[in-house]
Amino acid sequence: KAANVDFILPLADGSVRGKVVDGKGNPLSGAWVYLSEGVFGGQQYGWGNTQADGTFLIDGVVAGSYLARVYAYGYAMEVVYVDVERQKTTTITEVRLNEGGSASGVVVDKDGKPYAAQSGIFGSASYLCAFTEDFTRWAGAGLEEGGTFKMENLAVGVPYHP
């Protein structure tokens, strides 16, 4: 015999809007903004891109607390905490993206010799990750021949840890 099952689905009727600018205050077009719950990204609950005037709108968001991660090529990622309410639009006044820095070097083994990168199906199977202390920002780079790596778009002045 079939049973009746009731589902309660959260209403995705909140919105987030805002503006993204560069370090000089100029609007940034084409930046990505996405909402997630966890510090490591987790499930995405909405995303959008900025328009020519730097503005974005993300509709259809379930009420809750999120991290809004903002990216643009050549700039360091920024993270903004945002609370979304049902049937309301939450405004992020301005997110300022500064040009990103980079870190490069050589990974060595226990004998001090450059680490030999391993190859895999998707290219380099040897990958180096670094995180900020609060785990809201991260960077990664594949290891190249001779153990070399280069991480780009790092937040300048913010410590990252392997």
Side-chain angles (χ1 to χ4, degrees):
K1 182 178 175 183
N4 289 335
V5 178
D6 292 327
F7 289 96
I8 298 174
L9 299 175
L11 293 176
D13 59 358
S15 300
V16 177
R17 71 174 170 200
K19 184 171 185 175
V20 180
V21 298
D22 67 14
K24 297 177 182 174
N26 300 313
L28 264 177
S29 175
W32 305 282
V33 181
Y34 82 88
L35 305 176
S36 67
E37 283 185 322
V39 293
F40 287 110
Q43 181 173 337
Q44 292 185 21
Y45 288 88
W47 65 276
N49 294 88
T50 58
Q51 305 300 307
D53 63 355
T55 61
F56 66 90
L57 175 64
I58 304 171
D59 280 324
V61 181
V62 174
S65 296
Y66 302 99
L67 295 177
R69 288 189 168 82
V70 184
Y71 300 89
Y73 184 74
Y75 294 87
M77 173 180 55
E78 281 298 328
V79 179
V80 178
Y81 293 90
V82 60
D83 291 317
V84 177
E85 296 180 43
R86 286 201 58 228
Q87 299 180 342
K88 292 188 178 179
T89 299
T90 301
T91 300
I92 301 172
T93 306
E94 183 178 278
V95 179
R96 186 174 295 256
L97 296 185
N98 293 300
E99 289 186 25
S102 64
S104 59
V106 177
V107 176
V108 295
D109 64 19
K110 63 180 172 131
D111 299 321
K113 296 180 182 173
Y115 184 78
Q118 307 295 313
S119 62
I121 296 172
F122 300 107
S124 175
S126 300
Y127 200 75
L128 183 66
C129 292
F131 299 89
T132 56
E133 198 166 294
D134 62 2
F135 291 99
T136 58
R137 294 179 179 86
W138 64 87
L143 291 180
E144 303 297 330
E145 290 298 321
T148 62
F149 71 91
K150 183 173 184 179
M151 292 182 184
E152 299 184 285
N153 302 325
L154 301 171
V156 176
V158 176
Y160 287 78
H161 307 280

